[in-house]
Amino acid sequence: MSKKLVLALGLGLFGLAGCTQGINPTDMDRGIIGAGVGATAAHVGGHDVAKGAAIGAVAGALCDDVRLCQ
């Protein structure tokens, strides 16, 4: 992955953590939001959108497990 894509995904995850505060999202909700962020970041970076969406979905669904989304 390029540095631009990693940076965009990282910033997207911080945005994901901020936009779900106070609504008690499930893993599915975070996964859907993460997929959108990943797809957008991949498109902006000129990479495979499906791959970016998959990475974002996994990161979004698992972000509460590493206490990023709490």
Side-chain angles (χ1 to χ4, degrees):
M1 265 194 276
S2 72
K3 290 181 183 180
K4 187 186 288 187
L5 179 60
V6 171
L7 178 62
L9 284 174
L11 291 174
L13 287 177
F14 283 118
L16 170 68
C19 75
T20 60
Q21 294 297 328
I23 63 169
N24 199 17
T26 64
D27 284 341
M28 179 69 80
D29 297 331
R30 286 187 296 272
I32 291 169
I33 295 169
V37 170
T40 303
H43 178 71
V44 168
H47 297 283
D48 183 22
V49 174
K51 189 175 185 179
I55 292 168
V58 170
L62 297 178
C63 73
D64 66 325
D65 296 333
V66 294
R67 304 204 187 275
L68 179 65
C69 297
Q70 294 182 345

